[in-house]
């Protein structure tokens, strides 16, 4: 039987962690200067990548981490460092990367992972799937995961309309703002990982 409480709890948790409203300026900053169709494709690709990563870790997350001898704090720190590198590129306006490679990288990294499918979302899903002890609860958990990714796609898909309002100058401003926000997220993620290492020591 479908468990509304489990669905609502996991959906709310993922909403806070994956932060659809907060992803808008970062998405606009990372996809600035590209045609609308390319941006729409990148939004879809990023959500598909995020869902794929979340689904894999939801199904075999514990086995993957145990096999690689990777702890959750290590995953958080690595994701934070990766986000920090991307944030520095946004802040400095680095654009010397080839366009085709840049398109692919933005959809996969950092949008798909670790920004959307970050350590926090991965750990939350692993725990939710582990605690789901019936078919109905499992359906509730996976329904929440799918619903969250639909929301993410809708937010990024229609954030493209903002570009028509703010124009090129606004996109530059949003790009710098996205760099600042992303760097703060990255540093906080690193701090959280380090704190967990200290607590576990």
């Amino acid at each position: 039987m479908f468990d509304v409480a489990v669905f609502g709890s996991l959906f709310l948790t993922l909403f806070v962690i994956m932060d659809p409203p907060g992803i808008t300026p970062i998405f606009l900053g990372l996809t600035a200067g590209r045609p609308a169709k390319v941006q729409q494709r990148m939004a879809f690709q990023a959500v598909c990548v995020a869902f794929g990563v979340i689904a894999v870790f939801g199904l075999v997350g514990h086995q993957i981490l145990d096999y690689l001898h990777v702890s959750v704090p290590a995953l958080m720190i690595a994701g934070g460092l990766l986000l920090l590198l991307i944030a520095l590129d946004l802040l400095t306006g680095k654009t010397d990367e080839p366009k085709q490679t840049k398109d692919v990288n933005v959809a996969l990294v950092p949008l798909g992972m670790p920004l959307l499918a970050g350590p926090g979302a991965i750990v939350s899903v692993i725990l939710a799937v582990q605690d789901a002890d019936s078919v109905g609860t499992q359906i509730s958990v996976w329904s929440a995961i799918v619903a969250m990714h639909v929301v993410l796609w809708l937010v990024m898909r229609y954030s493209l309309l903002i570009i028509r309002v703010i124009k090129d100058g606004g996109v530059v401003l949003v790009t710098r703002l996205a760099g600042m926000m992303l760097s703060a997220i990255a540093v906080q993620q690193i701090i959280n990982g380090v704190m967990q290492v200290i607590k576990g020591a």
Side-chain angles (χ1 to χ4, degrees):
M1 184 176 179
F2 188 84
D3 193 325
V4 177
V6 170
F7 174 88
S9 176
L10 181 58
F11 182 85
L12 183 59
T13 299
L14 291 177
F15 189 91
V16 171
I17 293 173
M18 302 177 89
D19 190 17
I23 200 67
T24 302
I26 296 174
F27 175 75
L28 290 175
L30 290 172
T31 60
R34 295 174 174 82
K37 288 185 178 180
V38 173
Q39 291 173 319
Q40 293 168 9
R41 186 175 71 247
M42 290 171 68
F44 181 72
Q45 288 174 341
V47 170
C48 287
V49 169
F51 179 77
V53 171
I54 292 290
V56 169
F57 275 94
L59 294 171
V60 292
H62 277 296
Q63 293 87 335
I64 291 174
L65 294 181
D66 290 343
Y67 177 77
L68 296 175
H69 304 290
V70 174
S71 65
V72 172
L75 190 64
M76 295 178 71
I77 294 171
L81 290 173
L82 180 58
L83 285 179
L84 189 58
L85 291 175
I86 302 298
L88 291 176
D89 282 349
L90 288 175
L91 284 170
T92 57
K94 182 179 177 182
T95 57
D96 56 353
E97 193 174 359
K99 192 174 188 302
Q100 183 60 37
T101 303
K102 189 175 179 182
D103 286 349
V104 175
N105 284 347
V106 169
L108 301 179
V109 178
L111 281 176
M113 181 180 181
L115 193 55
L116 295 180
I122 289 173
V123 171
S124 297
V125 168
I126 289 176
L127 295 177
V129 172
Q130 180 182 347
D131 293 339
D133 53 3
S134 68
V135 175
T137 311
Q138 286 281 354
I139 292 175
S140 303
V141 167
W142 288 101
S143 296
I145 294 170
V146 171
M148 185 68 254
H149 284 81
V150 170
V151 170
L152 285 168
W153 176 75
L154 289 173
V155 168
M156 289 191 291
R157 169 67 175 79
Y158 290 104
S159 68
L160 301 177
L161 297 176
I162 299 174
I163 295 178
R164 299 175 186 174
V165 177
I166 63 177
K167 306 299 182 183
D168 291 341
V171 170
V172 173
L173 178 61
V174 167
T175 300
R176 300 298 182 266
L177 176 62
M180 292 180 61
M181 292 174 60
L182 199 55
S183 62
I185 292 171
V187 171
Q188 186 61 56
Q189 191 164 293
I190 294 171
I191 291 173
N192 290 344
V194 172
M195 291 300 294
Q196 288 196 24
V197 171
I198 294 173
K199 289 179 181 178

